[in-house]
Amino acid sequence: MDSKTLIALEDNLGAHNYHPLDVVLERGEGVWVYDVEGNKYLDCLSAYSAVNQGHCHPKIAQAMIDQAQRLTLTSRAFRNDQLARLYQTLHTVTGYDMSLPMNSGAEAVETALKAARKWGYTVKGVPAGQAEIIVCAGNFHGRTITIVGFSSEAQYQAGFGPFAPGFKIIPFGDSAALQQAINPNTVAFMVEPVQGEGGIIIPPAGYLKQVRQLCTDNNILFMADEIQTGLGRTGKLFACDHEAVRPDVMIVGKALSGGFYPVSAVLASKEVLGVFQPGDHGSTFGGNPLGAAVATAALNVLIEEKLIENAAELGRYFQERLAEIPSPHVKDVRGKGLMVGVELKPEAGGARRFCEALQGKGVLCKETHRNIIRFAPPLVITQADIDWALVAIADVLNMA
Ligand SMILES: *Cc1c(COP(=O)(O)O)cnc(C)c1O
């Protein structure tokens, strides 16, 4: 079937909860993807940073095939031989003493919220039913009803209430606001170290250090949602590493499986994740041997192929070259590592038309909010690939 037919089918039979670019992909390899007509594109979205290791990485693919032919699902009613290996790899790579595997990012966020509340009641001593969790305006933590209930984005909430109580929203990047919002019932502060969906928003230097200090001083959990920023995207293992701070709870997903399979996890100390007793929480697929084998392979690829170092080096290069492009439309170029945003002036007519023009030149990216083009290629990208993309980007940023 050609792309026209497939698009018509999809629009007719599928729910319209996305507004995708009209490109129908059928194959991917490394940074490149191919549509059903055989056109080739450089992927500058990486499935929102889930394919940091590049499309169809052969080592992860092999781990998946091998495991799929051995054992895929046991449920946690029984143990399997892959989960312990994933725990060990997560511990070695991240230093956290305990982890809890889930599937989607939103489920890991929900898990972290439940852990924080139970920690608040059983360890900190907050009165029953009174726990408060502080989050930031402009956040994106997923799409469940609990999570959209503390979004500041009107569309994420419209039509989906009522929402869970117990959340307080403060401005992002403002440690004084955090200090003011804390009270004796506060159990946690959850934040993205760089807001991704919010528009590649980087907080002021020193913010994460101040957050760490405030959380320590007030006995509240610092929970970092690094589902998008983590696992090398910003040029460090975690974006929090740029300020050398260690959150109490680290939430990962997306690239944890290199794009093969949904695997997410909450990483924390034994004091925090130790609050869960058998029966408190669970997931039929969470921690399954197929996901565990894939995630272990995906983490190994990240380290062995030095993808984090590559993100740091080529991220710097890409941002420098982008900033040099003369353009009447660009307001700001910013980013960390290979998580880059180009903010357009309000009068540029929106980022969508630039993304569509880039598609025509073989570069796939997606607008975030109205005016921001996000560039987040797989971390296996080379300087030559970036130079190739820059020619197309320069053209498009100079169109009428
Ligand atoms: C993508 C994302 C999520 C949600 O992950 P899903 O797998 O889509 O549920 C949560 N937080 C951040 C920062 C994300 O980028």
Side-chain angles (χ1 to χ4, degrees):
M1 276 191 270
D2 65 1
S3 54
K4 258 204 167 61
T5 315
L6 290 162
I7 290 168
L9 262 176
E10 191 178 314
D11 284 350
N12 188 30
L13 298 175
H16 294 183
N17 57 324
Y18 278 90
H19 180 31
L21 288 182
D22 280 337
V23 55
V24 183
L25 303 173
E26 65 169 14
R27 191 163 64 84
E29 189 182 351
V31 298
W32 301 99
V33 287
Y34 301 82
D35 70 13
V36 290
E37 275 83 25
N39 298 306
K40 177 182 176 180
Y41 305 88
L42 181 70
D43 182 0
C44 278
L45 183 65
S46 307
Y48 300 97
S49 295
V51 287
N52 284 359
Q53 296 88 340
H55 289 276
C56 297
H57 192 289
K59 282 187 184 154
I60 311 173
Q62 197 58 54
M64 181 155 181
I65 291 163
D66 291 348
Q67 189 60 40
Q69 293 174 335
R70 254 192 324 257
L71 183 66
T72 57
L73 183 62
T74 54
S75 86
R76 299 283 307 277
F78 309 127
R79 297 179 191 263
N80 70 70
D81 70 337
Q82 295 301 313
L83 182 55
R85 291 182 166 91
L86 174 60
Y87 286 150
Q88 189 172 43
T89 306
L90 279 170
H91 172 66
T92 309
V93 170
T94 71
Y96 283 96
D97 282 338
M98 240 186 204
S99 50
L100 195 165
M102 296 295 283
N103 311 286
S104 68
E107 285 176 303
V109 170
E110 291 273 355
T111 302
L113 298 173
K114 285 174 78 173
R117 282 184 173 179
K118 193 159 185 206
W119 174 86
Y121 298 129
T122 59
V123 179
K124 182 169 177 171
V126 170
Q130 301 298 305
E132 284 187 13
I133 294 174
I134 301 171
V135 296
C136 287
N139 72 68
F140 183 85
H141 297 292
R143 298 292 200 160
T144 65
I145 286 184
T146 308
I147 294 171
V148 298
F150 54 76
S151 171
S152 57
E153 195 66 26
Q155 196 201 347
Y156 293 176
Q157 294 195 328
F160 301 128
F163 301 116
F167 298 94
K168 202 183 260 183
I169 303 175
I170 61 168
F172 178 64
D174 183 344
S175 55
L178 175 60
Q179 183 157 29
Q180 274 183 352
I182 292 170
N183 68 39
N185 293 336
T186 307
V187 296
F189 174 55
M190 180 168 68
V191 68
E192 300 153 86
V194 175
Q195 288 187 333
E197 299 317 295
I200 320 291
I201 312 291
I202 301 165
Y207 174 65
L208 298 172
K209 269 207 158 65
Q210 290 156 3
V211 165
R212 175 66 278 175
Q213 194 61 48
L214 283 169
C215 289
T216 302
D217 292 350
N218 293 280
N219 192 27
I220 70 180
L221 300 176
F222 174 7
M223 308 208 295
D225 179 349
E226 294 231 26
I227 291 170
Q228 187 163 154
T229 53
L231 304 178
R233 173 53 54 189
T234 69
K236 299 269 189 190
L237 177 65
F238 294 120
C240 286
D241 295 343
H242 287 284
E243 291 198 11
V245 299
R246 192 167 182 75
D248 301 297
V249 177
M250 176 62 73
I251 310 167
V252 290
K254 294 205 166 110
L256 181 53
S257 65
F260 278 82
Y261 191 93
V263 184
S264 62
V266 177
L267 316 174
S269 63
K270 292 185 176 174
E271 176 184 301
V272 175
L273 280 177
V275 301
F276 286 123
Q277 302 296 311
D280 279 358
H281 189 56
S283 160
T284 303
F285 279 83
N288 72 74
L290 183 59
V294 165
T296 303
L299 285 167
N300 285 334
V301 163
L302 204 67
I303 305 298
E304 285 165 11
E305 299 190 5
K306 301 203 183 311
L307 299 186
I308 304 170
E309 292 83 345
N310 197 52
E313 193 177 318
L314 291 184
R316 202 176 309 118
Y317 176 78
F318 190 28
Q319 284 181 54
E320 282 170 10
R321 295 287 92 79
L322 275 174
E324 284 167 10
I325 294 175
S327 160
H329 304 302
V330 174
K331 184 178 161 194
D332 187 30
V333 175
R334 57 175 178 264
K336 267 217 190 317
L338 283 170
M339 184 175 189
V340 181
V342 173
E343 181 170 355
L344 303 172
K345 294 175 184 166
E347 61 272 23
R352 175 89 185 184
R353 68 184 189 101
F354 291 88
C355 293
E356 286 168 357
L358 281 167
Q359 175 190 346
K361 293 186 179 293
V363 175
L364 291 184
C365 44
K366 189 71 168 66
E367 75 276 10
T368 172
H369 285 248
R370 210 180 102 76
N371 289 323
I372 298 154
I373 313 173
R374 164 179 23 204
F375 293 98
L379 311 185
V380 295
I381 198 164
T382 64
Q383 187 168 320
D385 297 332
I386 289 178
D387 289 337
W388 181 87
L390 282 163
V391 175
I393 295 167
D395 267 4
V396 164
L397 287 179
N398 278 289
M399 68 185 191

